[in-house]
Amino acid sequence: MSNYSEITSIAHLILKKYDLCDHCLGRLFSKQLHLSSNKLLGRKLKQGFISTTKCYVCKNLFYNLDHFLKLMLESSSNYIFKTYGVGIVIKPSIVDRDDFLRSKYQLKGIDSVKTDIAKELMKSFTKKTTKIMDPIDPEITFTVNMKDESCQLRSKPITVSGRYVKSERGYTQKQTSCDNCSGKGCRVCNFHGISEFTSVEGIISKLIFKKFGGTTTKFTWIGGEDKSSLVLGSGRPFFVKINNPSKRNPKLNDEKFDYLSIFHLKLVNESPKKPLNFHSKIKIKISTVSQIDSKHLKKLKDLISTPIFIYEKSGKRHEKKIFNLKYKKNSMNQFTLIITAEGGLPVKRFITGDDVSPNISTLFNTPCVAQKFDFLDILVK
Ligand SMILES: [Zn+2]
Ligand SMILES: [Zn+2]
């Protein structure tokens, strides 16, 4: 009990010079006494003292937290979540007075006024909503600004993986960004960064926004295709990160839209950090300027397991392998090639010979061009 009476005398010493609210007074000693309620301790220590001015440290901020709780409730009313965290912005003068008092009376190992305000807010928010406070990795983070009386909310991004099959030609894989904001998100595009939803990216994004809410999406594609390409078989895998989602666990089904089918949608931890290894089975319709010589056709088989070198403008060189190859002559100037190749082989350049070696045009000794190419399947290794 000597500890308590010692504390009482320090508390009274402080109170004689500085009027403190129950919270701020209790906070200075609650840890020492292993008590959880600063307010109750403060009230007890203050017995016999009557406040005549606002609290020296917080200017009675602790008695106005309901206003900020209301801001938190309002800003999160459209979000479905389980866990949350709170960050606080307060006037530096409050922090300064808190520091001054703690150092003057050599009070160590206690919560700062800022920490305590955050704790009080979280206590009330949890009581009101039954949401769980998670300071490490919350789904929703509130930044409560007590200087300008605002509350901002940040929702942790979600990543979804899936596959798509594109069964009609004439649609691009990627959506062009909103003209007004170049993809950052603005009022014109409803903060989505895209204002049309016609491409593969657009259609998937639209579905994602419907399921998860959110502002912008960021795609990681496992390979790419042309506007005129089909994507068949089990489809092309993709990852999509959803920024600022308002729903976190919607029911995900396979979906079909005009030319696009979307399969195997599921939540994942994050998009792959490194490019994934994958193989593409590609059907390419090739036309030649000179007539096709069958001895050249036979030489196609030599491409299997020969490294195909690709030279980039940057000076970088990389190589891709072809694992399997079949061909069929359709006419004097046209044949179909079906290859299974390492993902990322630039198909059109491989045919024309544009900084790719070996290539089809050189092999046939005549300019060749890929009229169209389709992905029959994509296998992730
Ligand atoms: Zn106070
Ligand atoms: Zn925009």
Side-chain angles (χ1 to χ4, degrees):
M1 213 50 207
S2 69
N3 199 8
Y4 184 76
S5 54
E6 229 170 77
I7 281 169
T8 312
S9 57
I10 303 170
H12 289 177
L13 206 66
I14 297 172
L15 281 174
K16 275 177 195 150
K17 286 200 86 163
Y18 305 98
D19 208 340
L20 296 180
C21 70
D22 294 349
H23 288 274
C24 287
L25 182 65
R27 179 165 50 84
L28 300 177
F29 308 104
S30 60
K31 288 230 163 142
Q32 272 188 65
L33 293 169
H34 306 289
L35 295 173
S36 62
S37 171
N38 296 340
K39 191 180 164 188
L40 289 181
L41 175 63
R43 190 179 295 166
K44 207 169 155 196
L45 291 171
K46 255 180 95 170
Q47 270 166 11
F49 285 81
I50 294 160
S51 289
T52 49
T53 55
K54 281 186 176 177
C55 171
Y56 168 74
V57 174
C58 75
K59 300 291 172 203
N60 289 8
L61 195 53
F62 277 100
Y63 299 113
N64 292 309
L65 294 184
D66 273 358
H67 171 63
F68 296 101
L69 174 66
K70 211 172 135 213
L71 291 183
M72 286 170 71
L73 292 167
E74 273 166 15
S75 66
S76 61
S77 62
N78 290 323
Y79 288 79
I80 298 171
F81 61 102
K82 288 198 194 90
T83 62
Y84 74 99
V86 176
I88 302 270
V89 180
I90 54 173
K91 282 185 190 154
S93 56
I94 297 181
V95 177
D96 289 347
R97 290 192 297 270
D98 184 43
D99 288 347
F100 165 77
L101 209 63
R102 290 197 286 171
S103 99
K104 182 169 177 181
Y105 293 96
Q106 298 184 350
L107 299 160
K108 295 199 184 82
I110 61 176
D111 282 345
S112 70
V113 62
K114 204 166 145 180
T115 305
D116 198 28
I117 290 173
K119 275 186 180 170
E120 283 300 312
L121 265 183
M122 290 187 282
K123 235 189 262 170
S124 312
F125 190 78
T126 294
K127 204 168 158 191
K128 199 107 189 160
T129 61
T130 70
K131 307 285 182 197
I132 299 156
M133 204 269 290
D134 176 356
I136 308 295
D137 190 25
E139 292 172 343
I140 296 281
T141 304
F142 295 96
T143 304
V144 181
N145 187 325
M146 300 189 160
K147 278 158 69 183
D148 64 11
E149 306 210 347
S150 67
C151 174
Q152 286 201 331
L153 178 153
R154 204 174 62 241
S155 170
K156 192 171 74 150
I158 285 176
T159 306
V160 169
S161 71
R163 282 178 172 258
Y164 69 87
V165 164
K166 179 179 150 193
S167 55
E168 272 179 57
R169 302 180 196 286
Y171 301 95
T172 55
Q173 183 185 29
K174 288 164 195 166
Q175 192 76 52
T176 42
S177 299
C178 163
D179 285 339
N180 193 49
C181 67
S182 321
K184 280 193 214 74
C186 67
R187 271 176 211 288
V188 175
C189 59
N190 205 8
F191 301 99
H192 290 325
I194 52 174
S195 48
E196 287 179 87
F197 300 91
T198 48
S199 64
V200 174
E201 177 177 352
I203 291 176
I204 298 173
S205 292
K206 198 174 178 179
L207 174 69
I208 290 293
F209 295 141
K210 195 179 123 198
K211 295 269 183 197
F212 292 90
T215 48
T216 50
T217 49
K218 189 176 182 298
F219 280 81
T220 303
W221 305 101
I222 308 307
E225 78 257 358
D226 253 29
K227 190 176 175 180
S228 62
S229 304
L230 302 178
V231 180
L232 306 170
S234 55
R236 183 181 302 289
F238 63 89
F239 293 82
V240 54
K241 181 173 147 189
I242 306 136
N243 289 311
N244 201 29
S246 55
K247 285 166 253 173
R248 311 197 71 88
N249 211 353
K251 203 164 166 9
L252 299 171
N253 302 311
D254 292 350
E255 306 269 352
K256 171 108 179 75
F257 302 92
D258 303 330
Y259 66 87
L260 196 74
S261 302
I262 304 165
F263 302 101
H264 306 313
L265 286 175
K266 63 167 194 268
L267 296 177
V268 292
N269 283 337
E270 57 182 1
S271 299
K273 290 258 189 299
K274 288 187 294 184
L276 291 184
N277 274 329
F278 65 102
H279 292 175
S280 304
K281 189 175 181 189
I282 315 167
K283 182 179 175 184
I284 316 161
K285 204 178 232 182
I286 299 162
S287 61
T288 64
V289 171
S290 303
Q291 288 191 359
I292 297 165
D293 187 334
S294 55
K295 81 168 190 263
H296 292 141
L297 277 176
K298 284 190 186 107
K299 279 177 82 179
L300 280 170
K301 289 276 184 198
D302 295 346
L303 290 170
I304 295 175
S305 294
T306 308
I308 313 285
F309 290 104
I310 297 135
Y311 303 88
E312 299 302 346
K313 299 265 180 292
S314 62
K316 268 192 197 152
R317 184 191 85 168
H318 47 108
E319 56 176 271
K320 298 285 173 192
K321 280 201 180 76
I322 292 173
F323 304 104
N324 204 330
L325 179 147
K326 277 192 276 187
Y327 57 85
K328 186 172 170 273
K329 190 174 164 184
N330 306 321
S331 68
M332 300 304 268
N333 292 82
Q334 197 193 69
F335 68 103
T336 301
L337 186 64
I338 296 179
I339 56 172
T340 303
E342 240 176 301
L345 176 76
V347 175
K348 287 192 283 191
R349 288 170 57 192
F350 170 59
I351 308 301
T352 56
D354 180 12
D355 286 332
V356 176
S357 172
N359 66 69
I360 300 296
S361 292
T362 309
L363 206 119
F364 279 72
N365 203 18
T366 181
C368 298
V369 67
Q371 288 191 320
K372 62 184 176 198
F373 59 100
D374 297 328
F375 289 83
L376 303 183
D377 217 343
I378 294 132
L379 307 153
V380 176
K381 291 283 125 182

